[in-house]
Amino acid sequence: MTVSPQKNLPQFLITHPTDLSKLLVGYSCLLREFNLSSFNYKEIVAQTFKQDKRNFGLLVCACYSNSGDQVAIVNNLKELVLPRSGVKVCFSKDNKSILVADKAGHVINYCIEKTEITQKILVDTLSTITDMYLSVSNYLAVCDREGRIRVSFFPNAYHILSYCIGHEGAVTCLSFTSSGLRLFSGSNDGTVKLWDPTNGKELFSLEPFSTVHKHKVCDLQCSASQHVCVCYEGLSVAEVYKYSLTTEGLETLVCNMFMCVTLILNIFQLHVQSINTNSEVLQTVFDVENTLYILERCPPYITSYQFLEGFFSESSSEYLATDCYLSDLQ
């Protein structure tokens, strides 16, 4: 039996924190920084990884520093002496540390301020970590396959602020609001929940609008303009919601298409915008000006959407060439 070679397909997107013309695209074995005006790109190589591509392994995750002048990369070869493969990486707000969450239940803090890199375990749990998020207010949220969300305060992560418990399945993704004071979570049970991270109180639960959407929530992103985008595994659709602060200080999910109202703790849901794509949505990201980028699986496209007159409208779409196969890099 002949096995067709596996393409080096795009896996995730990362927007630059300050430069709107730059966008990182992570492939299976490559990391490219695209210029959105010309869509030319340059290869990004991490000095801490082996330069020989045959030993580079598969790319797992990456991130920009908050200043945008550094990039942290994690692959599946565990060069940073991780007990198991990493699932998420991020910089601290002062850019002096890199936090890496791994599948063994650890969050490790790598101090890069000095020449010699030192490491410290911040979180040590018995369950498999599925996502990690460090907010602008230094709340460190970690979720796992057991349906729990652990919230602590960085860098003193040993002091647990709360546990957010309420999902019926594994928690798959996290995203803080732009203020860093509220936390969204997605789960295998198809729901999205909003939490107060300081006490673990569930403020709102967004149920799937139809049985079609009772799929695993695979991606969840909040914008600086109080939008949240939700993607479901295997579906070619992205759901965009609008939330705002009321005079009582509670979040309100606002919609424009459906007039069904659910009142929970004075937080109510009124509408959803659905963005249909040509293929399965892998990930979405917002830039600092509320432009939404959607990465599709196959064929691999990046499509940008501008927020105009209350809706996100498509502005451009670019094909990401898969110019090599994984077998070519081994």
Side-chain angles (χ1 to χ4, degrees), residues 242-258:
K242 172 75 175 176
Y243 66 92
S244 60
L245 294 176
T246 67
T247 55
E248 293 82 13
L250 299 176
E251 276 73 3
T252 304
L253 290 178
V254 183
C255 320
N256 303 323
M257 292 171 60
F258 295 93

Side-chain angles (χ1 to χ4, degrees), residues 178-196:
S178 56
S179 66
L181 301 179
R182 293 291 184 265
L183 175 66
F184 281 100
S185 63
S187 170
N188 277 350
D189 60 16
T191 64
V192 174
K193 294 184 183 292
L194 179 66
W195 309 88
D196 181 344

